[in-house]
PDB file of all heavy atoms in Angstrom:
ATOM      1  N   LYS A1347      81.044 -22.589 183.956  1.00 95.00           N
ATOM      2  CA  LYS A1347      80.944 -23.353 185.201  1.00 95.00           C
ATOM      3  C   LYS A1347      81.166 -24.843 184.977  1.00 95.00           C
ATOM      4  O   LYS A1347      81.845 -25.512 185.764  1.00 95.00           O
ATOM      5  CB  LYS A1347      79.582 -23.084 185.860  1.00 95.00           C
ATOM      6  CG  LYS A1347      79.402 -21.618 186.252  1.00 95.00           C
ATOM      7  CD  LYS A1347      77.986 -21.310 186.682  1.00 95.00           C
ATOM      8  CE  LYS A1347      77.827 -19.812 186.917  1.00 95.00           C
ATOM      9  NZ  LYS A1347      76.429 -19.426 187.220  1.00 95.00           N
ATOM     10  N   GLU A1348      80.618 -25.346 183.910  1.00 95.00           N
ATOM     11  CA  GLU A1348      80.747 -26.779 183.641  1.00 95.00           C
ATOM     12  C   GLU A1348      82.195 -27.151 183.313  1.00 95.00           C
ATOM     13  O   GLU A1348      82.653 -28.246 183.664  1.00 95.00           O
ATOM     14  CB  GLU A1348      79.829 -27.188 182.487  1.00 95.00           C
ATOM     15  CG  GLU A1348      79.731 -28.696 182.268  1.00 95.00           C
ATOM     16  CD  GLU A1348      79.345 -29.477 183.513  1.00 95.00           C
ATOM     17  OE1 GLU A1348      78.425 -29.042 184.233  1.00 95.00           O
ATOM     18  OE2 GLU A1348      79.986 -30.520 183.776  1.00 95.00           O
ATOM     19  N   ALA A1349      82.918 -26.255 182.680  1.00 97.00           N
ATOM     20  CA  ALA A1349      84.322 -26.515 182.344  1.00 97.00           C
ATOM     21  C   ALA A1349      85.158 -26.676 183.617  1.00 97.00           C
ATOM     22  O   ALA A1349      86.034 -27.545 183.698  1.00 97.00           O
ATOM     23  CB  ALA A1349      84.887 -25.396 181.482  1.00 97.00           C
ATOM     24  N   SER A1350      84.865 -25.835 184.614  1.00 97.00           N
ATOM     25  CA  SER A1350      85.587 -25.932 185.878  1.00 97.00           C
ATOM     26  C   SER A1350      85.227 -27.217 186.619  1.00 97.00           C
ATOM     27  O   SER A1350      86.098 -27.922 187.142  1.00 97.00           O
ATOM     28  CB  SER A1350      85.275 -24.720 186.758  1.00 97.00           C
ATOM     29  OG  SER A1350      86.030 -24.758 187.951  1.00 97.00           O
ATOM     30  N   LEU A1351      83.954 -27.559 186.638  1.00 96.00           N
ATOM     31  CA  LEU A1351      83.519 -28.798 187.285  1.00 96.00           C
ATOM     32  C   LEU A1351      84.156 -30.014 186.618  1.00 96.00           C
ATOM     33  O   LEU A1351      84.591 -30.953 187.294  1.00 96.00           O
ATOM     34  CB  LEU A1351      81.988 -28.908 187.233  1.00 96.00           C
ATOM     35  CG  LEU A1351      81.206 -27.925 188.111  1.00 96.00           C
ATOM     36  CD1 LEU A1351      79.714 -28.018 187.800  1.00 96.00           C
ATOM     37  CD2 LEU A1351      81.454 -28.189 189.592  1.00 96.00           C
ATOM     38  N   GLU A1352      84.229 -29.990 185.289  1.00 97.00           N
ATOM     39  CA  GLU A1352      84.824 -31.096 184.547  1.00 97.00           C
ATOM     40  C   GLU A1352      86.322 -31.199 184.825  1.00 97.00           C
ATOM     41  O   GLU A1352      86.863 -32.309 184.964  1.00 97.00           O
ATOM     42  CB  GLU A1352      84.579 -30.908 183.049  1.00 97.00           C
ATOM     43  CG  GLU A1352      85.156 -32.005 182.171  1.00 97.00           C
ATOM     44  CD  GLU A1352      84.638 -33.397 182.492  1.00 97.00           C
ATOM     45  OE1 GLU A1352      83.489 -33.514 182.976  1.00 97.00           O
ATOM     46  OE2 GLU A1352      85.388 -34.372 182.256  1.00 97.00           O
ATOM     47  N   ALA A1353      86.983 -30.062 184.941  1.00 97.00           N
ATOM     48  CA  ALA A1353      88.416 -30.065 185.248  1.00 97.00           C
ATOM     49  C   ALA A1353      88.673 -30.690 186.625  1.00 97.00           C
ATOM     50  O   ALA A1353      89.635 -31.453 186.802  1.00 97.00           O
ATOM     51  CB  ALA A1353      88.961 -28.644 185.195  1.00 97.00           C
ATOM     52  N   PHE A1354      87.805 -30.389 187.574  1.00 97.00           N
ATOM     53  CA  PHE A1354      87.952 -30.976 188.909  1.00 97.00           C
ATOM     54  C   PHE A1354      87.608 -32.470 188.904  1.00 97.00           C
ATOM     55  O   PHE A1354      88.232 -33.252 189.625  1.00 97.00           O
ATOM     56  CB  PHE A1354      87.091 -30.226 189.934  1.00 97.00           C
ATOM     57  CG  PHE A1354      87.758 -29.001 190.489  1.00 97.00           C
ATOM     58  CD1 PHE A1354      87.261 -27.740 190.210  1.00 97.00           C
ATOM     59  CD2 PHE A1354      88.891 -29.111 191.276  1.00 97.00           C
ATOM     60  CE1 PHE A1354      87.881 -26.604 190.715  1.00 97.00           C
ATOM     61  CE2 PHE A1354      89.524 -27.983 191.792  1.00 97.00           C
ATOM     62  CZ  PHE A1354      89.023 -26.725 191.503  1.00 97.00           C
ATOM     63  N   ARG A1355      86.635 -32.839 188.065  1.00 97.00           N
ATOM     64  CA  ARG A1355      86.305 -34.266 187.963  1.00 97.00           C
ATOM     65  C   ARG A1355      87.510 -35.058 187.462  1.00 97.00           C
ATOM     66  O   ARG A1355      87.780 -36.168 187.926  1.00 97.00           O
ATOM     67  CB  ARG A1355      85.094 -34.471 187.045  1.00 97.00           C
ATOM     68  CG  ARG A1355      83.750 -34.265 187.736  1.00 97.00           C
ATOM     69  CD  ARG A1355      82.596 -34.791 186.911  1.00 97.00           C
ATOM     70  NE  ARG A1355      82.274 -33.931 185.792  1.00 97.00           N
ATOM     71  CZ  ARG A1355      81.383 -32.943 185.829  1.00 97.00           C
ATOM     72  NH1 ARG A1355      80.718 -32.684 186.943  1.00 97.00           N
ATOM     73  NH2 ARG A1355      81.137 -32.208 184.757  1.00 97.00           N
TER      74      ARG A1355
END
Side-chain angles (χ1 to χ4, degrees):
K1347 297 170 186 175
E1348 189 54 44
S1350 184
L1351 290 172
E1352 180 58 29
F1354 276 113
R1355 277 194 285 269

